[in-house]
Amino acid sequence: ANAAALATSFPRDNFKTIEAYGGEKSYYYEARALIGMGSDTVSNPERLSETWLELAHDLLSDGYREAMSLLTGLDLGTRQMEINVFHYGPGAHLGPHRDLPEKIATHVFYFNQAWELEDGGCLAILNSAEPKDVAAQVLPIVGNSAAFIRSENSWHEVTRVRDRCNQSRRSMTVTFYPTSSVSSMWPPGDTAPLHDYGSASD
């Protein structure tokens, strides 16, 4: 029941477009802050459903940090945490990368009730920087999640969402950082305009 409620009330407010082409990696997607870097409060809670507010508070709990520490074998108890949610609409993608060096560990959750492999939008775990060198793929279906530790060979990507896909790929990332880290997603002084994402059927 909670999974269904999270999927049907996935956030649509306060998103910004993030895109870059060329260079080390290319990317294009929509992002919304759920918990700001090092914060213990929910960002823009006014239009979040009760189920999403409950999830946010669960992720802020000591129990979640303890579980992630056990899973990864790392002490994450005092690390800074940042949580963002994402819409990947038609054409959206995130090219092969290893994550920024300051990222310690990331936990990705998915919120689509149905998704086909041919629609793209999958997390591809790669053996190298080569997109065709795929070790595993994770469909963005609610109930699926993936956790990984950043390393020099932690290559992964989000495959390009098919142009005619009739829904967005919906996800959330929880990322742990060293103390005193600064958000690259929401840098200080960021004035990028925020908007609602699409229509209810997107």
Side-chain angles (χ1 to χ4, degrees):
N2 283 348
L6 288 165
T8 56
S9 63
F10 191 81
R12 292 184 168 276
D13 63 297
N14 290 289
F15 279 84
K16 72 173 179 179
T17 302
I18 298 180
E19 59 183 326
Y21 300 91
E24 184 174 340
K25 67 177 179 180
S26 66
Y27 46 88
Y28 167 56
Y29 51 83
E30 303 278 336
R32 180 207 196 275
L34 186 66
I35 305 291
M37 178 74 81
S39 176
D40 60 359
T41 59
V42 181
S43 298
N44 301 305
E46 297 79 13
R47 291 167 59 188
L48 293 175
S49 70
E50 286 300 317
T51 312
W52 270 92
L53 290 172
E54 289 175 12
L55 174 61
H57 289 296
D58 283 346
L59 296 171
L60 286 169
S61 70
D62 290 341
Y64 175 69
R65 285 181 176 270
E66 292 167 5
M68 283 298 294
S69 294
L70 286 171
L71 179 65
T72 61
L74 302 171
D75 182 2
L76 302 174
T78 60
R79 300 298 190 176
Q80 286 197 150
M81 185 173 68
E82 181 181 54
I83 307 176
N84 294 294
V85 295
F86 303 91
H87 280 282
Y88 280 65
H93 63 282
L94 177 58
H97 64 289
R98 293 171 291 184
D99 281 341
L100 296 171
E102 58 266 31
K103 292 187 177 182
I104 298 171
T106 298
H107 190 187
V108 189
F109 296 78
Y110 302 100
F111 297 95
N112 291 86
Q113 292 179 303
W115 194 267
E116 300 297 330
L117 184 63
E118 55 267 28
D119 285 334
C122 294
L123 172 65
I125 306 298
L126 306 175
N127 293 311
S128 68
E130 179 57 49
K132 294 182 179 179
D133 194 8
V134 178
Q137 292 194 81
V138 182
L139 287 169
I141 295 173
V142 65
N144 285 351
S145 73
F148 47 90
I149 299 168
R150 199 277 176 192
S151 71
E152 289 306 302
N153 62 356
S154 58
W155 292 97
H156 57 286
E157 71 168 330
V158 177
T159 59
R160 188 177 188 277
V161 178
R162 184 170 61 96
D163 287 338
R164 295 186 180 182
C165 191
N166 61 6
Q167 62 176 324
S168 65
R169 177 245 202 209
R170 297 162 194 178
S171 63
M172 175 184 71
T173 61
V174 183
T175 305
F176 294 90
Y177 295 83
T179 54
S180 302
S181 293
V182 175
S183 176
S184 60
M185 186 79 67
W186 307 96
D190 182 17
T191 58
L194 303 180
H195 54 265
D196 286 1
Y197 180 81
S199 64
S201 60
D202 292 336

